[in-house]
Amino acid sequence: MSDDTAYGVGEGPTANVSVSLHSGNIAAVRARVGKRGFSAYVDAAVQRQIERDNLAELTEGHEAEHGALSDMEVDAARALLRGDTDDAQNAA
């Protein structure tokens, strides 16, 4: 198999891998997207989890250097993530 580290999250060609999932999770995904949409659904879920992990690491690093985020900073970040730019500017 090729070196997968050359690609960023969500990039590169697709590749077949074998994973073990709980039967209930498999049934729930198939109920939502059918058999043909299964891989895309799981790939999107994995990408979201990586993004969440990266955000947690950034937050931990920031807090280690600058102390805990204030409620105002958290509210501004949430507004940015939601796309509420006016709310983010008012909270900052």
Side-chain angles (χ1 to χ4, degrees), residues 8-91:
V9 176
E11 298 177 340
T14 60
N16 290 327
V17 297
S18 175
V19 298
S20 298
L21 302 172
H22 293 283
S23 296
N25 291 343
I26 294 168
V29 171
R30 285 193 175 141
R32 288 187 178 274
V33 299
K35 187 174 183 177
R36 296 184 62 76
F38 193 92
S39 291
Y41 189 92
V42 172
D43 190 53
V46 168
Q47 184 171 338
R48 280 191 306 277
Q49 185 61 48
I50 292 168
E51 291 165 351
R52 290 180 69 150
D53 293 346
N54 290 343
L55 181 57
E57 290 170 8
L58 285 170
T59 302
E60 290 167 7
H62 176 84
E63 288 185 334
E65 187 173 332
H66 303 286
L69 294 166
S70 69
D71 289 342
M72 187 184 312
E73 290 171 316
V74 171
D75 289 342
R78 285 185 177 139
L80 282 170
L81 290 171
R82 286 190 308 259
D84 303 337
T85 54
D86 291 338
D87 291 345
Q89 291 172 354
N90 292 336

